[in-house]
Amino acid sequence: MVVNVAAESKAASVLSKQLQGVHHIGITVEDMGKALEFYTEVLGGKVIIPEIGLAGEVMHNTLLQKEEIEALEAGLDPRSMGIPNLRDGQENLDLYFVQFDNVVLELLQYRDASAQPNSSSAFPAKNPHSSPAFVNSMHVSFYLRDDVDVDEFVKNLEVECQKRGMDRVRCNRIVRVKSEAERQNTDRQNNSCKLFDPSFGDFEGWTLVYCKGPSGEQLEFNQVIHKAKTLFETAQEEFKRSRERE
């Protein structure tokens, strides 16, 4: 079903003129070693800024103040709500900025201060279940080149990650399955959702894959061609022109 949304023309706020765009996207990971391997060796990002062992009063308040206040007002121990103690250095925060061609990812791991960096000793324990339908759930979408065979990419990604022990990296299929064995044995053509029919309207030319990363983070891989690509390129040029006129 195609839905046409008529965007109202409204003046942008003064604040919008102070932005340069989106700088980076952050992902809190369970196993920093595996996360670095996935985003640099498998997907080809480049580490540009590492910072190991962040802690202290200022860092704690900057990152965790709202959550801590909510826990205290509810009469709860902040740690019981998954809030690490950076203030006293019981936990530390490690982070890496990873550069891709058009976006930067920030990988973060909260860990016990006595644990080795780049290990699987994350604080707090990982949530037992995740769903892209959860409120506040976010995902990172990687942009595939126009000449990539998306179904082949999915197969190669899963094979590569399996070799590296990244068993959580699994891509959804477009047909219904009731077991992991069935998912693995679907036909290759079912590896991606291809919106190629003109009935998809502005989405025509979009191919998408939903996939979990090594810490269970929600990822997406997109290929955007035909009408959808033209719309994005046109919008980008119009945005640049509007900024130049300001």
Side-chain angles (χ1 to χ4, degrees), residues 87-231:
R87 177 180 289 112
D88 300 326
Q90 288 182 251
E91 281 78 41
N92 284 181
L93 169 62
D94 300 334
L95 60 87
Y96 293 82
F97 284 95
V98 181
Q99 177 75 56
F100 288 86
D101 180 51
N102 61 344
V103 72
V104 176
L105 292 185
E106 180 188 14
L107 304 178
L108 307 96
Q109 185 191 48
Y110 294 86
R111 60 172 171 84
D112 187 282
S114 64
Q116 288 296 314
N118 298 349
S119 69
S120 58
S121 302
F123 176 94
K126 181 179 180 292
N127 290 330
H129 178 67
S130 66
S131 166
F134 287 171
V135 174
N136 292 335
S137 177
M138 299 178 68
H139 68 269
V140 178
S141 181
F142 288 90
Y143 195 13
L144 299 175
R145 297 197 318 266
D146 292 359
D147 60 352
V148 170
D149 182 323
V150 182
D151 294 325
E152 185 71 11
F153 173 86
V154 169
K155 184 189 78 171
N156 292 338
L157 175 66
E158 291 183 338
V159 169
E160 180 68 22
C161 291
Q162 192 72 29
K163 288 192 303 185
R164 296 171 179 266
M166 301 177 187
D167 297 334
R168 293 177 182 167
V169 179
R170 300 177 184 177
C171 300
N172 292 345
R173 307 300 192 246
I174 64 170
V175 293
R176 184 177 182 181
V177 297
K178 296 183 179 180
S179 70
E180 175 58 20
E182 284 187 30
R183 188 194 68 84
Q184 291 182 12
N185 291 316
T186 55
D187 291 338
R188 177 178 170 280
Q189 64 184 5
N190 296 320
N191 285 359
S192 64
C193 179
K194 307 169 185 67
L195 307 180
F196 288 167
D197 191 277
S199 64
F200 288 112
D202 291 347
F203 266 111
E204 190 271 316
W206 192 292
T207 300
L208 68 110
V209 176
Y210 250 40
C211 176
K212 295 295 187 185
S215 288
E217 66 271 31
Q218 188 64 57
L219 305 179
E220 181 177 358
F221 293 93
N222 283 134
Q223 186 180 71
V224 186
I225 57 177
H226 303 158
K227 184 176 182 181
K229 182 178 183 179
T230 300
L231 290 172

Side-chain angles (χ1 to χ4, degrees), residues 27-42:
I27 303 173
T28 300
V29 303
E30 182 178 13
D31 185 327
M32 182 62 87
K34 286 296 183 186
L36 284 170
E37 184 179 0
F38 179 74
Y39 287 106
T40 62
E41 296 183 25
V42 177

